[in-house]
Amino acid sequence: MIERGRLFIISGPSGVGKDTILNKFLPMSSNCKRAITATTRTPRLGEVHGAHYYFYSREEFLQMAENGELLEYTEYNGNLYGPPKKGVEEIQNSGKNVILEIEVHGGLKVKKMYPESVLVFIVAPSWKVLEQRLRDRGTESEQDIQTRLKNARFELSKAHEYNYIIINDVLERCCERLGAVISAAGCEERHMKSFIESLRLPPL
Ligand code: ADP
Ligand code: 5GP
């Protein structure tokens, strides 16, 4: 029987490098897969439905929520975001760990519903670096950057509710730390019970 994959939530302020980390980490990881989430946000240049997000109208999104098709959903910067349950379950049933990159409210909601999930919070080495990364990305207006920085203050105040905190200083080092967290979570006693029970000890 395939052991079900575990659920990892990755959160952190906008611009901290979550996408960059996952884009580097996931191709190197054979036992983790990212679940695509749904949103009512307008696609950015180059974003594709089904690859970056599932893009829906507000009506379509709310219908999915009403049908109970979303693991959770949250309003962020005026747009709705939520992970479809189907995608998450498919990955877990295949035996792979699910990586969900979602904001803090959603992360904490998921943790309440699935206490066995592992919450990982990504931080920049300093506030200045965070602001610089957000600006250098060049994808948001000044007004949007200010809103994201305001949200970042709130998000940082919730970091202590996460299981692990990883500093994204040097990208490679950050990916190594994420790999270490995922390996360590797999070795937790609660996941090793059936293995210990399966050991056939020779008679004394
Ligand atoms: P998020 O997904 O958290 O909003 P991004 O992955 O889009 O953030 O990263 C924001 C910007 O920071 C991007 O321009 C990215 O290239 C840059 N960046 C990410 N990680 C690092 C790093 N370790 N060192 C320097 N720049 C980084
Ligand atoms: P962006 O608009 O920059 O792609 O994402 C904005 C924020 O929404 C990010 O912090 C991202 O992690 C978060 N996000 C993406 N999908 C989901 C989701 O399904 N649920 C929640 N709660 N947040 C999400």
Side-chain angles (χ1 to χ4, degrees):
M1 201 181 83
I2 303 176
E3 201 196 329
R4 263 185 122 228
R6 285 173 290 278
L7 184 53
F8 289 87
I9 307 294
I10 311 286
S11 304
S14 178
V16 77
K18 300 180 296 295
D19 273 326
T20 308
I21 295 161
L22 293 179
N23 288 340
K24 183 161 181 73
F25 177 78
L26 289 175
M28 302 187 295
S29 159
S30 56
N31 65 347
C32 294
K33 197 169 172 200
R34 184 176 184 161
I36 313 280
T37 65
T39 184
T40 61
R41 166 165 81 59
T42 314
R44 293 188 189 124
L45 197 68
E47 282 185 333
V48 175
H49 178 84
H52 299 89
Y53 278 107
Y54 296 112
F55 295 100
Y56 293 115
S57 68
R58 209 171 171 92
E59 292 69 34
E60 287 169 325
F61 188 102
L62 288 172
Q63 189 61 59
M64 287 174 73
E66 202 179 316
N67 296 345
E69 294 172 37
L70 302 174
L71 207 63
E72 58 83 28
Y73 72 99
T74 303
E75 183 136 15
Y76 178 90
N77 260 6
N79 297 304
L80 296 168
Y81 294 84
K85 281 183 189 164
K86 193 165 173 265
V88 170
E89 282 164 7
E90 275 172 7
I91 298 171
Q92 285 191 299
N93 292 340
S94 77
K96 289 198 178 199
N97 296 318
V98 180
I99 307 289
L100 258 186
E101 194 233 289
I102 65 179
E103 54 72 64
V104 164
H105 292 100
L108 295 175
K109 278 187 218 167
V110 172
K111 182 76 183 173
K112 256 196 192 141
M113 286 185 288
Y114 305 95
E116 70 284 3
S117 56
V118 179
L119 264 59
V120 181
F121 192 92
I122 311 287
V123 282
S126 70
W127 182 260
K128 206 170 155 204
V129 168
L130 174 68
E131 192 167 348
Q132 197 60 48
R133 283 186 189 163
L134 203 47
R135 284 187 197 290
D136 289 351
R137 186 168 68 183
T139 47
E140 274 84 27
S141 65
E142 181 56 32
Q143 194 190 357
D144 223 6
I145 288 174
Q146 290 307 329
T147 312
R148 280 164 196 258
L149 287 172
K150 194 172 144 230
N151 288 337
R153 285 177 189 273
F154 167 76
E155 285 165 324
L156 282 163
S157 78
K158 294 288 177 191
H160 67 280
E161 296 191 42
Y162 276 57
N163 300 108
Y164 294 91
I165 299 180
I166 298 180
I167 303 174
N168 178 19
D169 42 15
V170 177
L171 186 59
E172 288 70 20
R173 224 182 288 157
C174 177
C175 290
E176 277 172 25
R177 290 178 191 131
L178 180 59
V181 162
I182 292 171
S183 299
C187 300
E188 276 184 55
E189 185 273 339
R190 58 188 160 151
H191 299 306
M192 299 305 285
K193 275 195 177 80
S194 57
F195 173 78
I196 297 292
E197 280 160 17
S198 74
L199 288 175
R200 291 174 205 284
L201 304 184
L204 283 171

